[in-house]
C-alpha cells in the first residue's frame, strides 16, 4: 500500500467540492489558518463559556482599544451565539426552518465565515451521531463572500470551502499523527480521551460530507490509504474502520476497494493475531462483513 508523491499530488488536487458548475478547490487553495486575531479567539471562548463577568479579567492585552474593535467584537459575539443557538436546536423536524434562519445571518466577511465554519465543524466532530444532520446542513447552506486576494483580484469564498478546509486541517493534524501520547495525569488522560472522540467524529463527518457529494471519492480513497500506512497502527485502524463504516459502501460503487479489502482480510488472519488487539480485530471483521461485497 504505497502512496507515491505523484499519486498523492493528483489526489490532493481532487479534494474539491463535487458539484456541478462549481470551481475546482485544491488543498493548496483551501488553507484555513487557526483563528489568530484576539477578537475572534476570545469571542469563541466567550461564546462557549458564556461568562461575561470574566470576559476581560486579567487579559489587558485583548481588551478593545477603539470603537471599531468594540463594535466588531459585540457583533461577532452576537453572531456566534446565534449560530450555536441554531445548531443546538437543529433536528430533522426543524431543519428547513433553521436553514432559513442560518441563511439570514449577517455574515459580512471571510473572517466571520471561516469562524462559523469552525463552529459548525467542531460541533459535528463532538456529536458524531448527528454527523449526517450536520453534513446535510453543510450541503444546503449557500453562503458566499466576495474577497480580494493579494493581487487585488476578486475571489469567492463559500461556506462549503471553509468546511472542507477545517476537515482537511484536522485530519492532517490529528488523524495522521505518528506519535503515541504518554499520559502524565488524570487531566491529560481526560483531554486525550476527548480528543480521540473528536477525531473519530472528524473521520465520520468526512465520510458524511462525502455522501452529501461535497468531496470527490478520490479524496476518501486517499484518506483510507494514508490511514493504512500510518505508523500508529491501532489508532489509525480504528479511524479507518469508522471511515469505511460511514462511506465504504458508497465509495466502493465509485472506486474499487479490492486492494483495501485484501489488506483488511490480511489484518484479521492468524499471522496478525498477536500484532493486533482483539478489539481492533473485531472492528475490522465487522467492516469486512458489512462493507465487502459478497
Amino acid at each position: 500500500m504505497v502512496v507515491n508523491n505523484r499519486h498523492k499530488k493528483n489526489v490532493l488536487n481532487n479534494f474539491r467540492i463535487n458539484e456541478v458548475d462549481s470551481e475546482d478547490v485544491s488543498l493548496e487553495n483551501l488553507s484555513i489558518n487557526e483563528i489568530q486575531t484576539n477578537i475572534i479567539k476570545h469571542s469563541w471562548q466567550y461564546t462557549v463559556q458564556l461568562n461575561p463577568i470574566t470576559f476581560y479579567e486579567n487579559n489587558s492585552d485583548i481588551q478593545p482599544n477603539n470603537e471599531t474593535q468594540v463594535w466588531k467584537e459585540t457583533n461577532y459575539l452576537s453572531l456566534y451565539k446565534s449560530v450555536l443557538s441554531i445548531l443546538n436546536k437543529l433536528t430533522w423536524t426543524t431543519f428547513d426552518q433553521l436553514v432559513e434562519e442560518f441563511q439570514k445571518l449577517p455574515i459580512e466577511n471571510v473572517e466571520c465565515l471561516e469562524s462559523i465554519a469552525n463552529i459548525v465543524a467542531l460541533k459535528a466532530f463532538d456529536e458524531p451521531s448527528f454527523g449526517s444532520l450536520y453534513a446535510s446542513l453543510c450541503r444546503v447552506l449557500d453562503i458566499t463572500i466576495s474577497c480580494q486576494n493579494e493581487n487585488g483580484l476578486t475571489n469567492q469564498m463559500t461556506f462549503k470551502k471553509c468546511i472542507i478546509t477545517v476537515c482537511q486541517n484536522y485530519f492532517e493534524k490529528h488523524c495522521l499523527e505518528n506519535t503515541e501520547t504518554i499520559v502524565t495525569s488524570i487531566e491529560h488522560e481526560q483531554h486525550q480521551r476527548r480528543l480521540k472522540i473528536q477525531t473519530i467524529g472528524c473521520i465520520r463527518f468526512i465520510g458524511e460530507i462525502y455522501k452529501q457529494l461535497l468531496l470527490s471519492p478520490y479524496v476518501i480513497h486517499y484518506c483510507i490509504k494514508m490511514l493504512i500506512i500510518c505508523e500508529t497502527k491501532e489508532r489509525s485502524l480504528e479511524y479507518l474502520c469508522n471511515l469505511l463504516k460511514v462511506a465504504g459502501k458508497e465509495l466502493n460503487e465509485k472506486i474499487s476497494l479490492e486492494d483495501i479489502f485484501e489488506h483488511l482480510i490480511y489484518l484479521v488472519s492468524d499471522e496478525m493475531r498477536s500484532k493486533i488487539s482483539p478489539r481492533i480485530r473485531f472492528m475490522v471483521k465487522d467492516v469486512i462483513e458489512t462493507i465487502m461485497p459478497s
Side-chain angles (χ1 to χ4, degrees):
M1 306 298 296
V2 178
V3 181
N4 58 46
N5 291 333
R6 182 178 180 183
H7 174 70
K8 180 177 179 180
K9 183 177 180 181
N10 291 336
V11 174
L12 292 180
N13 288 332
N14 281 291
F15 203 114
R16 59 169 62 92
I17 299 173
N18 194 20
E19 296 179 302
V20 179
D21 298 329
S22 65
E23 60 177 330
D24 290 351
V25 184
S26 65
L27 286 181
E28 291 79 3
N29 294 330
L30 280 180
S31 60
I32 179 172
N33 297 324
E34 293 183 0
I35 304 173
Q36 296 176 346
T37 63
N38 288 328
I39 296 176
I40 303 300
K41 277 185 176 179
H42 210 62
S43 295
W44 167 252
Q45 296 170 4
Y46 172 81
T47 307
V48 175
Q49 297 173 1
L50 297 179
N51 187 5
I53 297 176
T54 60
F55 186 55
Y56 291 121
E57 184 177 353
N58 299 324
N59 287 286
S60 58
D61 58 321
I62 58 173
Q63 294 182 20
N65 52 20
N66 57 59
E67 292 183 2
T68 302
Q69 189 170 343
V70 172
W71 181 89
K72 286 178 65 178
E73 188 163 275
T74 302
N75 282 270
Y76 285 179
L77 289 176
S78 176
L79 177 60
Y80 298 160
K81 288 171 68 176
S82 297
V83 171
L84 280 176
S85 176
I86 290 173
L87 295 178
N88 288 334
K89 293 183 291 185
L90 187 66
T91 65
W92 290 116
T93 305
T94 62
F95 187 84
D96 293 337
Q97 174 189 349
L98 293 177
V99 166
E100 291 184 10
E101 289 186 25
F102 208 122
Q103 289 283 166
K104 295 177 182 178
L105 291 176
I107 304 172
E108 300 176 350
N109 54 55
V110 174
E111 186 179 50
C112 280
L113 187 63
E114 291 176 344
S115 300
I116 288 172
N118 270 284
I119 294 173
V120 174
L122 290 175
K123 182 77 168 173
F125 298 169
D126 282 334
E127 301 176 0
S129 57
F130 296 100
S132 60
L133 179 63
Y134 293 123
S136 297
L137 175 68
C138 295
R139 171 64 180 174
V140 300
L141 283 178
D142 184 20
I143 305 174
T144 303
I145 300 294
S146 298
C147 58
Q148 287 189 336
N149 60 20
E150 56 186 12
N151 297 322
L153 300 177
T154 301
N155 291 332
Q156 301 292 323
M157 178 61 71
T158 68
F159 178 77
K160 295 181 179 68
K161 288 181 183 180
C162 293
I163 283 289
I164 291 174
T165 303
V166 175
C167 293
Q168 172 211 335
N169 288 347
Y170 198 98
F171 178 82
E172 293 175 348
K173 182 177 180 180
H174 296 291
C175 302
L176 301 180
E177 189 177 8
N178 288 327
T179 57
E180 293 287 354
T181 303
I182 300 176
V183 177
T184 57
S185 65
I186 295 177
E187 291 77 10
H188 189 205
E189 182 181 6
Q190 292 174 344
H191 171 73
Q192 289 300 315
R193 187 181 297 114
R194 186 180 185 281
L195 181 61
K196 180 181 178 181
I197 293 173
Q198 195 174 69
T199 305
I200 291 175
C202 172
I203 288 288
R204 296 183 66 86
F205 187 63
I206 288 174
E208 293 290 356
I209 62 175
Y210 163 69
K211 289 164 67 174
Q212 293 294 328
L213 306 180
L214 299 185
L215 289 178
S216 161
Y218 296 101
V219 174
I220 305 300
H221 194 247
Y222 162 76
C223 292
I224 290 172
K225 290 203 170 186
M226 292 304 294
L227 289 172
I228 288 177
I229 66 176
C230 189
E231 295 178 8
T232 51
K233 288 295 182 183
E234 291 274 318
R235 185 171 57 197
S236 61
L237 283 176
E238 183 173 0
Y239 298 158
L240 172 65
C241 290
N242 275 277
L243 182 56
L244 287 173
K245 287 281 284 186
V246 174
K249 283 187 177 181
E250 290 78 5
L251 182 63
N252 196 44
E253 295 174 358
K254 303 289 184 179
I255 299 177
S256 174
L257 298 180
E258 184 177 351
D259 57 338
I260 306 296
F261 291 134
E262 288 179 359
H263 183 73
L264 294 179
I265 292 173
Y266 169 72
L267 290 176
V268 296
S269 64
D270 292 338
E271 182 181 346
M272 296 293 292
R273 183 178 296 274
S274 61
K275 299 179 181 179
I276 299 178
S277 68
R279 184 177 71 90
I280 299 299
R281 282 174 57 85
F282 177 80
M283 292 182 67
V284 174
K285 284 184 177 181
D286 185 50
V287 168
I288 293 173
E289 294 171 358
T290 306
I291 307 299
M292 191 171 73
S294 55

